[in-house]
Amino acid sequence: MLCYNITLYSPGIFMRPTSRHSSLALFIAFVPSVYAQAVAPETEVQSLPPIVVAANPLDLDSDSLTTPASVLQGERLVLERRGTLGELLEGLPGVNADTFGGGASRPVIRGQTAPRVKVLSDGSEVMDASGVSPDHVVAVDTLLARRVEVLRGPSALLYGGGAIGGVVNVLDNRIPTQVPEDGFSGSAELQGATAAKERAAAVGLTVGEGNIALHVEGARRRADDYRVADWDESRVPNSNADSTTGSVGLSFIGSRGYVGAAYSYREDDYGLPGHSHEYEDCHPHGSTLHCGGHDDGEDGEHDHDHHEDGEHAATAHLRSERLDIRGELRDPFAGFSKLRFRGGYTDYRHDEREDGVVGTTFTNRGYDGRLELSHQPVGAWEGVMGVQAARYDFASFGGSEDFIPKTHTQSTGLFLLESYEGNDWRFELGARHEWQTVTPESGSQPDYDGNATSLSAGASWNFTPGYAATLSVSRSQRMPNAQELYANGVHFATLTYEKGNASLDKETAHTLDLGLRKVDGDLRFAVNFFLSRIDGYIYGNTLDQHEDFRLIEYMQGDASFAGLEAEASYRLSPNVSVSIFGDYVRGKLRDGGGNLPRIPSARIGTRTDLSWGQWGGFLEYTQVLRQDRIASYEESTPGYGLLGAGVSYKGKMAGTDYLLYLQGSNLLNKLAYNHTSFIAREAPIQGRSIMAGARVEF
C-alpha cells in the first residue's frame, strides 16, 4: 500500500483533513486550482520577506536550508496559539502532539518525541521533566512566544543526540535586543474558548532609553475539564489546567550587539486524566508481572479497589524558576563576524497529588551554556563553530512513583557547521562530538560514561528560478538517559512498571532526506521524503501485562522510520487561495520485530483562505486515517474528520494595531482518539469548541 502525506498552506493557517471524505476533499481543493490556472488573469504576487531561522546558526532563511524547517510567527502564531506546545504545533507537516489531557502535551516529530525531540528556549535547554513522562508539561509559555521554529532532519544534530528526531526552538521577548524607538512598546492579548471554558491573557511591555532596555511580561491561563462528544461522560475528568508565568529582563544594547539577563517564574496546576494508583502493588518476578499480595497464592489476583470516576482528583503542581543570560557581539575580533552566547540556570519542582496530598515529587536543577562563533568567509565557505555544556541533578522521591534514582548528568559538546554557495548550489557540512556522564547517587548501579559523534552533509540546487531540490544525509548518535539506564518502579502515567538497563549502548541513526519545493508564484509547494535507519534503537519492550498494566524493560533493537510530508497552496485570485497538506510516517523494528508503538496516524486535508480588505477567513477539513499498524499490546485507532472555520479582522486605532478573531474547531463534534497519546481512550480529543480572541500591539 502506498502511504503519503500532503500538506498545503496559504498566508493564513494550515488546514487539516479527515478520513472518509479525503478523496472528495482533494477533489474540491484541486479542481478550482486547475481551473483558475487555466482561465484566471495574471495577478501580481506579493512577496513576503524571508524568515531567518534563529535555530540555524548560519542565519539562513527557511527557503535556503537544505533540510525542512517550519516557522510560526506574527498573525499566524496568534491564530494557531493553544495552551500547550504540542497542541500549538500539531498542524505543521510531520508534527503531531503527544497529549495528556488539557494540561500537558509534547511535540512528536516524524514519529519521535522526547527524549529524541529537543525543546529549546531561544537556543537554551529548558530543563524540565517533560522528557521523563508525557504527563509532565513542557515548561515554555505559548502565550508569550514571539516565534516558534521546528527543525526536522539532519539540521537538528548541532543540538546533540537528544535532537535525533528534531528541534523545537521557542523564541521570546524576555531579554530585549533593541531599544524601542518611542521609548516603549508592548502587546496585550485575551483569548477564550468554550469546550473547556478556557480563559487566557498575556501582556508584555518594553521600555528603554539610551543603551538600556527593560522588559516585563506575564501570562495566565485557566481551563476547566473539557467537553467531548458521544462518550461515557460529557467532560474528561481531571483535564483542567491553570498556568501562571512571569518574567523581567534587562539588557545593555550597543551598536555592535547586546548583553542581557532575565528572571522568569512559572507555576502550573493541572489534572491528570486516567491517573490511577490501583496497580501500585504490582511488581516483577523476573520477566513476569505479579499484582496483589503474596499471601493469597494467586498470581494475577489484583486486590485493589476500583474507584468511581470523580471520586479521586489526581493533579500535578509545577514550579519552575529560571535565570537566563544572552548576548551577541558583531565583529568580535579579526577573522570572525559574530559571537553569540546563551546560558541559563533552572530550579524545577513537580509534585503529583492525590486529593491534594503530595505523593511523588520530581526535581531538576541545573545549568547549561552554549557559545557560537561565526567566522568570516574563507573563499566561498562560511560557517560557525561552538561549544555547549550542561549539568543537571534529577530526582524523584516521596511516593510510590519513585521509579528513578537521583542522578547527576553532565554533558559537553563541540560542533561545527560550514556552508558553501556557488552558482545555483548550496552545500552544508556539519559535525558534533559530545561526551556524557550519568552518575546514580544510590551507588548500586554503575555510572554511564560515553561519547557520540554526529555528521551531516546537505545540498540544495536551485535548478530553475523559484524551484529548489534538496538532499541531506546524516549519521547521528544518541546516548541513553537516566530513565532508560536506571528506572525501576511503577510509572502511573504510562501504566507500566519500568525496568532500566545499565548496559545500554548509544543509538546510531543513518538518515536520508529528499525534498522539492517551489517558493514563488501563485502555486507554491514543498514535499519531503525521509528514511531513517536506527541501529541500537532504545525502546520499552513489554515483557508481561496484567489488565491495563504492563511490565516493560528498556532494550535495544534495529529500527527504521520512513515517511512523506508535503504542503501546497494555489492563489486563485488576490482574495482566495486553496491549499492541501498531509503527512505519513511508518516506524517499525527491523528483521521482523514488529511495529513501534504510538506512531502517528496519516493525515490529509484541505483549506480555503479568504481575504477582503481588513477581513480574513478560512474553512478547513482534516482527515486523520485509521491507524492499525500497531505494536503488541496496543489498540488500533479509528479514523476521524475535523472541520474548522474562522474569521478575523485587523485594524488600527489611535496608532495601535489590533487583531480580532473568532474560530471554531471540531465543528462536527466528532468523538476522536489521538493515537500518539498514552491515554487516548481516557482523554479523547476535545469536542466542538468556539474560540474568540483579541490582540493589540503598541
Side-chain angles (χ1 to χ4, degrees):
M1 182 177 74
L2 177 64
C3 298
Y4 58 92
N5 275 355
I6 301 179
T7 305
L8 293 180
Y9 72 97
S10 66
I13 311 172
F14 279 90
M15 177 178 179
R16 301 168 197 168
T18 356
S19 173
R20 186 168 44 137
H21 305 290
S22 56
S23 298
L24 177 60
L26 284 173
F27 180 82
I28 292 172
F30 271 117
V31 169
S33 302
V34 175
Y35 176 78
Q37 192 170 12
V39 303
E42 289 292 327
T43 57
E44 183 181 355
V45 177
Q46 186 176 10
S47 298
L48 297 175
I51 300 173
V52 175
V53 179
N56 184 287
L58 295 176
D59 291 333
L60 298 174
D61 63 79
S62 56
D63 292 336
S64 300
L65 297 176
T66 60
T67 51
S70 300
V71 178
L72 286 175
Q73 65 177 12
E75 180 182 339
R76 183 177 164 203
L77 174 60
V78 173
L79 295 176
E80 291 279 5
R81 210 183 303 271
R82 298 296 184 271
T84 59
L85 184 63
E87 293 174 307
L88 168 66
L89 301 176
E90 66 177 338
L92 296 177
V95 184
N96 298 83
D98 175 7
T99 53
F100 205 97
S105 72
R106 306 181 299 187
V108 179
I109 301 178
R110 294 181 167 180
Q112 308 275 8
T113 187
R116 297 178 183 87
V117 170
K118 182 164 288 189
V119 178
L120 306 173
S121 175
D122 202 351
S124 293
E125 300 271 0
V126 175
M127 286 198 179
D128 52 25
S130 61
V132 174
S133 178
D135 65 328
H136 297 176
V137 67
V138 181
V140 295
D141 199 301
T142 58
L143 284 170
L144 297 174
R146 65 177 173 86
R147 180 196 291 185
V148 183
E149 304 171 342
V150 179
L151 299 183
R152 303 184 292 277
S155 61
L157 70 81
L158 292 186
Y159 292 93
I164 200 169
V167 161
V168 177
N169 189 31
V170 182
L171 290 88
D172 52 58
N173 293 310
R174 65 179 63 164
I175 296 179
T177 59
Q178 59 185 12
V179 178
E181 289 185 7
D182 298 325
F184 72 93
S185 64
S187 64
E189 189 170 341
L190 292 173
Q191 189 180 89
T194 60
K197 300 180 181 178
E198 182 176 351
R199 299 84 75 196
V203 62
L205 177 65
T206 303
V207 295
E209 185 176 357
N211 298 107
I212 303 297
L214 173 71
H215 181 79
V216 180
E217 64 183 17
R220 180 72 187 275
R221 172 181 176 255
R222 297 188 66 182
D224 298 339
D225 292 345
Y226 66 78
R227 188 172 53 238
V228 292
D230 301 322
W231 199 50
D232 297 337
E233 301 187 45
S234 60
R235 294 182 181 271
V236 175
N238 296 333
S239 61
N240 57 297
D242 189 337
S243 176
T244 303
T245 307
S247 74
V248 56
L250 183 69
S251 293
F252 176 85
I253 302 166
S255 59
R256 294 170 55 202
Y258 74 95
V259 61
Y263 166 81
S264 58
Y265 176 84
R266 176 175 179 133
E267 188 169 4
D268 285 69
D269 278 292
Y270 58 95
L272 301 173
H275 201 273
S276 172
H277 286 254
E278 61 184 349
Y279 300 105
E280 64 184 351
D281 58 354
C282 292
H283 54 279
H285 284 181
S287 61
T288 61
L289 191 63
H290 179 88
C291 295
H294 285 271
D295 57 350
D296 57 12
E298 294 288 340
D299 271 357
E301 287 295 328
H302 193 188
D303 184 17
H304 61 263
D305 295 326
H306 291 271
H307 300 294
E308 295 295 327
D309 286 337
E311 183 178 344
H312 290 269
T315 61
H317 177 79
L318 174 154
R319 188 219 66 208
S320 177
E321 295 181 87
R322 182 175 174 91
L323 179 65
D324 282 281
I325 58 170
R326 301 172 189 165
E328 182 177 302
L329 180 63
R330 292 180 288 277
D331 299 321
F333 35 83
F336 294 89
S337 58
K338 185 186 296 183
L339 175 68
R340 188 168 178 249
F341 63 88
R342 297 287 187 270
Y345 172 81
T346 301
D347 184 356
Y348 173 95
R349 180 187 177 99
H350 174 108
D351 296 327
E352 297 199 349
R353 302 172 178 176
E354 191 84 13
D355 291 333
V357 179
V358 176
T360 307
T361 294
F362 299 87
T363 62
N364 198 10
R365 296 183 180 93
Y367 66 84
D368 75 290
R370 182 180 178 92
L371 180 69
E372 297 175 358
L373 191 58
S374 301
H375 67 74
Q376 298 284 358
V378 178
W381 289 91
E382 58 180 345
V384 61
M385 62 192 70
V387 59
Q388 182 175 3
R391 176 188 168 87
Y392 57 90
D393 302 326
F394 180 85
S396 63
F397 54 88
S400 55
E401 204 173 358
D402 179 11
F403 67 101
I404 304 176
K406 185 174 183 179
T407 56
H408 310 280
T409 300
Q410 187 164 347
S411 63
T412 304
L414 299 175
F415 57 88
L416 173 71
L417 179 64
E418 293 291 324
S419 174
Y420 173 90
E421 186 170 6
N423 296 324
D424 298 323
W425 289 87
R426 171 183 288 278
F427 298 96
E428 291 181 12
L429 298 174
R432 179 182 172 108
H433 187 79
E434 55 189 321
W435 299 263
Q436 175 180 290
T437 60
V438 185
T439 306
E441 194 171 86
S442 62
S444 60
Q445 296 276 19
D447 295 353
Y448 177 87
D449 189 353
N451 62 86
T453 302
S454 299
L455 304 168
S456 71
S460 174
W461 177 33
N462 296 307
F463 56 91
T464 192
Y467 290 83
T470 61
L471 168 66
S472 62
V473 293
S474 69
R475 172 191 181 271
S476 307
Q477 292 188 317
R478 183 184 78 88
M479 292 173 281
N481 60 23
Q483 182 175 0
E484 296 163 332
L485 291 166
Y486 307 122
N488 186 25
V490 176
H491 190 183
F492 294 124
T494 57
L495 289 180
T496 56
Y497 189 104
E498 295 189 13
K499 296 177 63 176
N501 186 345
S503 64
L504 292 174
D505 200 358
K506 56 196 170 190
E507 301 175 340
T508 301
H510 298 88
T511 302
L512 169 71
D513 197 296
L514 289 169
L516 178 66
R517 60 183 177 236
K518 182 178 184 294
V519 297
D520 292 329
D522 289 332
L523 174 65
R524 304 186 182 198
F525 61 82
V527 181
N528 281 90
F529 167 79
F530 63 91
L531 173 64
S532 184
R533 296 173 65 87
I534 306 178
D535 298 332
Y537 183 81
I538 301 172
Y539 67 101
N541 181 44
T542 300
L543 303 178
D544 194 12
Q545 181 167 359
H546 175 80
E547 296 181 355
D548 295 326
F549 193 81
R550 294 177 298 126
L551 171 64
I552 70 167
E553 180 180 12
Y554 287 104
M555 301 181 66
Q556 291 190 279
D558 296 338
S560 65
F561 289 81
L564 186 68
E565 52 205 23
E567 53 186 340
S569 68
Y570 185 76
R571 198 177 73 138
L572 297 171
S573 73
N575 306 109
V576 182
S577 64
V578 295
S579 58
I580 59 172
F581 77 92
D583 49 35
Y584 166 82
V585 60
R586 176 80 191 281
K588 62 180 181 178
L589 292 169
R590 305 204 302 268
D591 301 325
N595 299 310
L596 289 167
R598 292 176 302 283
I599 298 299
S601 305
R603 301 176 297 185
I604 189 168
T606 67
R607 176 187 178 97
T608 299
D609 284 275
L610 308 171
S611 63
W612 56 100
Q614 295 169 293
W615 291 87
F618 73 91
L619 178 67
E620 67 178 16
Y621 181 79
T622 302
Q623 182 64 41
V624 179
L625 305 184
R626 177 182 179 86
Q627 179 57 286
D628 51 14
R629 290 181 169 175
I630 56 177
S632 301
Y633 305 100
E634 192 178 20
E635 188 175 353
S636 62
T637 303
Y640 55 90
L642 297 177
L643 178 66
V647 63
S648 63
Y649 180 84
K650 293 186 293 184
K652 178 174 287 192
M653 180 182 298
T656 299
D657 295 320
Y658 66 88
L659 173 67
L660 307 175
Y661 56 92
L662 178 70
Q663 52 187 321
S665 59
N666 196 4
L667 292 175
L668 300 179
N669 206 27
K670 295 289 188 179
L671 175 64
Y673 301 108
N674 176 17
H675 191 78
T676 59
S677 173
F678 278 89
I679 57 169
R681 294 308 191 275
E682 289 78 15
I685 292 172
Q686 278 193 10
R688 181 187 297 116
S689 186
I690 306 299
M691 182 175 67
R695 179 179 174 87
V696 296
E697 296 183 354
F698 50 88

